[in-house]
Amino acid sequence: MKRWIAVVSTLLMLFCLFPTRAKAATQAPVDITDLSIVELQQAVDNGLLTYETIMVLFLERLEAYGTEYECVITVNDTALDQARACDVQYQQSGRTSLLFGLPIVVKDNIDVVGMPTTGGTQLLADSYPAENAPVVQALLDAGAIVVAKSNMDLLAMQASRSESDYGTVQNAYQIGYSSYGSSGGSAVCLALSLCVGALGTDTNSSLRLPAVANGVVALRPTKGSLSQEGILPYDYERDTAGPMARSMEDLTVLYDLLAGTDCVQDLDVEVLDGLTVGVVIQLCGIDGDLYCDEEVSACFLELLELLEEQGAEVVYLDEVYTAEYADIPSATMSGWTFAAYFDQYIQGTSASIRSFAQLAQGLRVLADYNNGYTVQEVESSNYLAWQTQEKEEYREHLLACMDEAQVDVLIFSSMRNRVMELEDASALYNNTSLFAPVTGFPELSLPMGMDSDGLPMGVELLAGAGEDTLLLQIGYGIEQALEGAVTSPEDADSLYEIPEAVQELVSWYGSEEIESSLLTGEEGLLTAYESIGDWLEASPSYEGNLTVRAQELLESLRQAWLNVLIARLQPVEVDQQSTAHWWIGGIVLTGAGTGGIVWWMRRRRKC
């Protein structure tokens, strides 16, 4: 008997100390992967989300997909605390901008205090900046939260892929295909909905090529309109930071905050009506271009037809890209300035490497750049003066072509080939490097359709200096006209379920209808709601204060109902100890304890 009691007691103790665990599925009130920046803020206003919940959901996606697609280098371990602080501020004084409390990703050659700026090389893993880059500070001042630093091509040197010491960024639509570069990590983070917006940099193609290859949008702004301070340089004469986003509206929100404009309120689907676009025929498979893939050409021609249907005039230009000017884009590249501007940049960091010469010792690829020039020698060189003159000639040529044809923008395909597998990606016919990097003009990239392999194809819009907002407006019009032509990646599903009751409530919220089945277990709210609703229905013509007060109470109950349901959701995947387990364990343990006491008392009596 004693042995049996000891065995049972031991098992019961183990049962209670090491309980079975039931994993609860992650739940959320809305699907953040479908929401724009504006819609996320509306969800906060309606009580569907808090900034903490938003951040948890995005961090969960970063954990699930960041490693698989090799698109992230560093995750901000204070992001959740910052989101909680945003909730407090929101309750006290409201938000400061549309980006307030929302997660952004920053390419890892742009300085963010508290996070290293590696440029994709482990040699700079200890390079912590003393200050934020001004482009980062602008977004932080608006209340945005940097959730991660994105992977990139090593030191932003390559367009055909994004490959660094931290991995090779995979295409968001299909692993094994190129994300292109060098801002591939930022583009893929957006495409997989790991953030709401991103910063990248562009030297020749680095913002725009990854954007179209991963189904997102990007703007290379007018050169000099955004600060280059706090950005690890490559070709200082061409480098610029720029915004990337999942939609044209989101891109415009980011640009407004970076540039101090207010363009988002001017977005209008009617912008295409009366527009005149100039087609650069040598870059689109028109007029016998043997280098352009048939699917790219066909998609581009369909886009031109769509523009005409929307009221735009299409003009075909054959003098923009000619043999006379074809060599200027490559002849005016200034990678030879890399060493000088790196030496200047690195002084503002904690990096153990203090010069380009030291960096080049660890990276053979930099040997040809290690020329020992100083910034002063670069800026006073005759070679730079010649390059500047060539660029000015190219600018004048482009503007003359546009003026003569009286076109608002130039349009051409982003690449003449389709997105390729990583092993073939170097065979790239790239159009994004031909105009904007040389002239400093703004250029917008956006997807125009999908190829037969389910990968995006892209289009470029080029305008004159300072006409960035014009490009954003036109891009918005094209995006709206193309509705449904570009799909999202299929392999990055939502990680959480949205309870059916909440889906119904969200769709019902603000309407006159009610589903009593949604309020199971909340009889008090339901009874009060139905009572007031019945009274209002019975007294539709009564216009006194009582009716007004009833309507106000009805709305407050509706919000209370919403809060009850939202409060039930677990925004993160957690291990929850089974309630049934504790009840069973408690009952059995109590029974065993009682039995043990009875047995002990009987034994005492016998003694």
Side-chain angles (χ1 to χ4, degrees):
M1 182 68 175
K2 290 170 60 178
R3 182 177 300 173
W4 180 85
I5 292 175
V7 170
V8 171
S9 299
T10 301
L11 290 175
L12 287 171
M13 290 178 65
L14 289 174
F15 183 82
C16 294
L17 290 173
F18 302 99
T20 57
R21 304 181 76 83
K23 182 166 285 190
T26 302
Q27 294 182 328
V30 292
D31 185 354
I32 59 168
T33 65
D34 289 337
L35 298 185
S36 68
I37 289 172
V38 171
E39 289 169 337
L40 278 168
Q41 298 292 10
Q42 289 173 343
V44 173
D45 290 342
N46 290 336
L48 296 170
L49 294 170
T50 64
Y51 293 114
E52 179 182 1
T53 300
I54 290 172
M55 188 59 66
V56 165
L57 294 173
F58 277 104
L59 285 169
E60 192 176 39
R61 293 188 65 77
L62 274 165
E63 182 180 2
Y65 297 118
T67 301
E68 181 181 4
Y69 287 84
E70 302 180 53
C71 57
V72 174
I73 292 179
T74 307
V75 175
N76 182 2
D77 57 9
T78 69
L80 196 54
D81 289 336
Q82 293 179 49
R84 293 184 181 118
C86 285
D87 278 321
V88 174
Q89 182 176 338
Y90 174 76
Q91 293 299 325
Q92 293 176 346
S93 57
R95 69 173 61 91
T96 55
S97 78
L98 284 173
L99 211 56
F100 179 85
L102 301 184
I104 60 168
V105 160
V106 174
K107 185 179 180 182
D108 207 16
N109 61 345
I110 305 175
D111 286 348
V112 178
V113 171
M115 304 177 77
T117 304
T118 72
T121 171
Q122 292 183 359
L123 295 175
L124 295 176
D126 63 350
S127 181
Y128 286 82
E131 297 180 355
N132 291 311
V135 288
V136 170
Q137 191 62 53
L139 299 182
L140 295 180
D141 289 344
I145 300 170
V146 177
V147 69
K149 300 290 290 293
S150 59
N151 199 2
M152 55 181 285
D153 192 66
L154 183 72
L155 297 174
M157 297 177 67
Q158 187 174 207
S160 61
R161 57 176 55 82
S162 287
E163 187 173 31
S164 76
D165 289 348
Y166 299 92
T168 301
V169 182
Q170 303 293 313
N171 189 280
Y173 285 80
Q174 194 164 336
I175 288 178
Y177 279 71
S178 181
S179 68
Y180 293 90
S182 62
S183 303
S186 290
V188 172
C189 282
L190 282 166
L192 299 176
S193 295
L194 311 186
C195 57
V196 303
L199 286 181
T201 61
D202 195 293
T203 301
N204 289 308
S205 306
S206 297
L207 274 165
R208 295 157 293 129
L209 202 57
V212 297
N214 294 281
V216 299
V217 292
L219 175 71
R220 178 189 167 101
T222 297
K223 182 73 168 77
S225 63
L226 300 182
S227 172
Q228 286 179 247
E229 295 300 312
I231 300 175
L232 202 159
Y234 173 48
D235 180 341
Y236 193 80
E237 295 298 308
R238 295 194 180 196
D239 293 345
T240 182
M244 310 172 78
R246 294 183 288 182
S247 69
M248 286 305 308
E249 182 186 64
D250 286 357
L251 186 70
T252 306
V253 169
L254 264 71
Y255 178 79
D256 280 345
L257 294 174
L258 291 169
T261 56
D262 192 16
C263 181
V264 70
Q265 66 178 0
D266 298 325
L267 298 179
D268 188 348
V269 295
E270 302 296 328
V271 67
L272 301 181
D273 190 8
L275 184 73
T276 303
V277 297
V279 179
V280 185
I281 63 172
Q282 294 93 341
L283 306 179
C284 315
I286 302 173
D287 197 27
D289 179 6
L290 300 178
Y291 297 105
C292 193
D293 184 272
E294 291 182 0
E295 289 193 45
V296 173
S297 179
C299 187
F300 182 76
L301 290 174
E302 288 177 6
L303 175 60
L304 296 182
E305 291 179 5
L306 181 62
L307 292 178
E308 290 180 316
E309 292 173 4
Q310 299 296 316
E313 180 183 358
V314 176
V315 179
Y316 295 87
L317 307 178
D318 60 2
E319 295 296 324
V320 174
Y321 187 67
T322 62
E324 180 181 358
Y325 296 95
D327 292 334
I328 292 181
S330 58
T332 55
M333 293 176 65
S334 302
W336 60 280
T337 68
F338 191 180
Y341 286 101
F342 178 88
D343 285 344
Q344 185 180 70
Y345 161 83
I346 204 66
Q347 302 312 309
T349 76
S350 65
S352 54
I353 286 177
R354 304 309 297 166
S355 70
F356 189 86
Q358 286 181 289
L359 185 65
Q361 287 178 356
L363 292 171
R364 288 185 189 175
V365 70
L366 299 181
D368 292 340
Y369 298 88
N370 190 21
N371 49 42
Y373 294 145
T374 65
V375 170
Q376 292 74 21
E377 289 170 335
V378 166
E379 293 178 348
S380 63
S381 72
N382 291 332
Y383 187 50
L384 183 60
W386 174 82
Q387 289 184 318
T388 301
Q389 183 179 348
E390 290 289 290
K391 292 176 183 178
E392 182 58 33
E393 180 182 343
Y394 201 48
R395 277 190 286 270
E396 292 175 357
H397 164 66
L398 287 182
L399 290 174
C401 289
M402 295 175 70
D403 289 343
E404 183 177 351
Q406 295 185 324
V407 300
D408 299 301
V409 292
L410 295 179
I411 189 170
F412 48 95
S413 60
S414 304
M415 292 189 290
R416 281 177 272 178
N417 53 274
R418 294 186 284 156
V419 174
M420 306 174 79
E421 293 184 67
L422 280 163
E423 60 187 20
D424 301 321
S426 296
L428 171 63
Y429 291 103
N430 174 21
N431 293 336
T432 63
S433 63
L434 300 178
F435 301 123
V438 191
T439 62
F441 293 168
E443 188 169 302
L444 174 73
S445 294
L446 67 159
M448 62 179 177
M450 311 298 290
D451 68 15
S452 56
D453 293 324
L455 294 159
M457 297 176 286
V459 63
E460 301 294 301
L461 296 170
L462 180 80
E467 296 188 318
D468 306 59
T469 56
L470 173 64
L471 291 180
L472 293 170
Q473 292 166 355
I474 296 172
Y476 178 78
I478 292 176
E479 179 187 70
Q480 298 304 303
L482 283 169
E483 185 178 8
V486 180
T487 58
S488 300
E490 296 180 354
D491 294 332
D493 295 335
S494 176
L495 300 174
Y496 40 80
E497 62 179 340
I498 303 174
E500 184 178 350
V502 173
Q503 292 183 49
E504 293 183 38
L505 178 59
V506 170
S507 64
W508 170 86
Y509 182 69
S511 72
E512 296 296 326
E513 299 176 3
I514 182 170
E515 288 277 355
S516 60
S517 61
L518 296 179
L519 261 176
T520 303
E522 304 296 335
E523 294 83 3
L525 281 176
L526 179 59
T527 301
Y529 186 95
E530 288 180 333
S531 297
I532 296 173
D534 291 343
W535 185 88
L536 286 171
E537 186 175 353
S539 310
S541 60
Y542 189 86
E543 298 180 358
N545 291 332
L546 187 57
T547 304
V548 175
R549 177 60 185 147
Q551 290 283 11
E552 291 174 352
L553 186 55
L554 196 66
E555 176 59 30
S556 67
L557 285 168
R558 181 182 293 155
Q559 183 63 52
W561 182 9
L562 181 70
N563 291 339
V564 166
L565 286 175
I566 300 306
R568 294 175 179 171
L569 300 182
Q570 295 292 332
V572 294
E573 185 173 336
V574 295
D575 287 339
Q576 294 182 333
Q577 294 177 355
S578 169
T579 302
H581 162 272
W582 286 113
W583 274 106
I584 294 171
I587 292 171
V588 174
L589 189 59
T590 300
T594 303
I597 292 172
V598 171
W599 173 81
W600 179 76
M601 292 179 68
R602 286 179 177 174
R603 182 178 175 82
R604 293 259 311 182
R605 289 175 183 171
K606 289 180 180 179
C607 295

